[in-house]
Amino acid sequence: MGAIERIPPQVEAKYRKFLQARELLARVVQEKALLEAQLADVEKLLDELQNVGDDTELYRMKGFVLVKTDKQSLVKDLESRKENLELKLMALKKQEESLQKEVERLSKELAAMLGSTGGSPVGAG
């Protein structure tokens, strides 16, 4: 019967870091997709408001209540929301790039460590 090979602690620690980085990357990608959808909705509303006359009755949701509003304040609020979403998206894109590089770096380091211990590379099997 062959001996069971124990994974070195430094490989285990590196693998845990890899898994954490990959999980965080997945969450950032998911949050980015959500913000992109919200931004698309805001942009669509702004486009539709261009075709609405200034004297048209408009309403917005405040909690569970519809409140009458004017076009100018609605456009101002939507443009502010759009700017806010764009800033958040920019930050998430930078975080995504950074995490992607980190995941790739950790994957290469693990592959090298496993290659030197006789194990199989990350993702193989």
Side-chain angles (χ1 to χ4, degrees):
M1 195 166 177
I4 297 176
E5 198 174 313
R6 172 90 171 112
I7 297 174
Q10 63 271 28
V11 174
E12 276 189 67
K14 185 77 67 176
Y15 184 64
R16 277 194 300 276
K17 284 177 99 172
F18 169 77
L19 290 177
Q20 289 171 342
R22 198 174 64 174
E23 183 180 319
L24 183 55
L25 175 62
R27 284 190 300 222
V28 166
V29 167
Q30 185 178 19
E31 187 176 348
K32 188 181 96 176
L34 180 65
L35 288 179
E36 287 171 337
Q38 290 176 5
L39 180 60
D41 287 344
V42 168
E43 289 173 338
K44 184 178 177 186
L45 285 170
L46 284 168
D47 285 344
E48 288 180 15
L49 282 173
Q50 288 180 353
N51 301 324
V52 173
D54 291 340
D55 59 342
T56 304
E57 285 189 14
L58 297 169
Y59 296 87
R60 69 177 314 150
M61 291 294 292
K62 293 281 187 178
F64 295 104
V65 179
L66 281 176
V67 177
K68 189 174 180 178
T69 187
D70 62 290
K71 180 180 174 181
Q72 185 179 3
S73 66
L74 186 56
V75 168
K76 183 179 174 185
D77 288 349
L78 287 170
E79 286 174 346
S80 175
R81 175 125 174 91
K82 178 183 174 184
E83 185 178 317
N84 196 9
L85 287 169
E86 287 171 339
L87 289 172
K88 287 180 181 178
L89 267 173
M90 196 175 358
L92 280 177
K93 285 178 182 178
K94 287 179 183 177
Q95 187 177 8
E96 178 186 19
E97 289 172 14
S98 174
L99 285 168
Q100 185 64 45
K101 288 177 184 174
E102 179 74 0
V103 166
E104 289 171 11
R105 181 185 66 78
L106 289 169
S107 178
K108 287 177 185 175
E109 288 177 11
L110 275 169
M113 291 172 109
L114 290 172
S116 68
T117 62
S120 60
V122 175

